[in-house]
Amino acid sequence: MKTFGLNIIASDKEFYRGRGINIILPARDGEFSIMAHHADMMISVVPGEMRFQTEDEQWHMAVVGNGFAQIINNRVTVLADSIEKPENIDVKRAQEAMERAQEQLRQKQSMQEYYISKASMARAMARMKANKKHEI
């Protein structure tokens, strides 16, 4: 199988570095799949579920926050503010974060505060959804 260089980095750690066969990223208008020798481009990544297949043909899943992916010369670099494995998600903390974000959205806010609250809520929802899928 054809592979590409794959580097996945969160704001606080390197999540994965190696060879990949496929990566599926959450984007504004749906999911975006990248395979070997994809055209060079930049992709905006939104909070959601990221899946990637390593050269041993095993699929891995993670919850990714806001960020972007860069595809250049058969190398993919994903940079995001947060990346977590579903088994590492604290569901209670995610639920509390979603409740805080919902409460903030009910209050009068500046536009900047509104977008921050919306992003917090999207991240919390993605974390809870991925954890629920992982439990099944």
Side-chain angles (χ1 to χ4, degrees), residues 34-53:
I34 303 163
M35 297 179 81
H37 305 293
H38 195 285
D40 294 353
M41 63 175 29
M42 295 285 288
I43 302 164
S44 176
V45 175
V46 298
E49 183 182 301
M50 171 183 70
R51 299 179 308 279
F52 61 99
Q53 187 179 22

Side-chain angles (χ1 to χ4, degrees), residues 2 9-11 35 37 46 53 56 59-60 64 68 72 77 79 83 86 92 104 109 115 129 136:
K2 293 182 181 178
I9 304 168
S11 61
M35 297 179 81
H37 305 293
V46 298
Q53 187 179 22
D56 61 2
W59 282 94
H60 305 272
V64 64
F68 67 92
I72 295 179
T77 302
L79 298 168
I83 302 173
K92 184 178 181 207
Q104 289 170 345
Q109 302 178 337
Y115 287 118
K129 181 180 173 184
I136 294 175

Side-chain angles (χ1 to χ4, degrees), residues 97-98 101-102 105 116-126:
M98 188 163 101
Q102 287 173 332
L105 287 171
I116 290 170
S117 297
K118 289 285 278 185
S120 296
M121 193 164 91
R123 180 173 178 259
M125 289 173 59

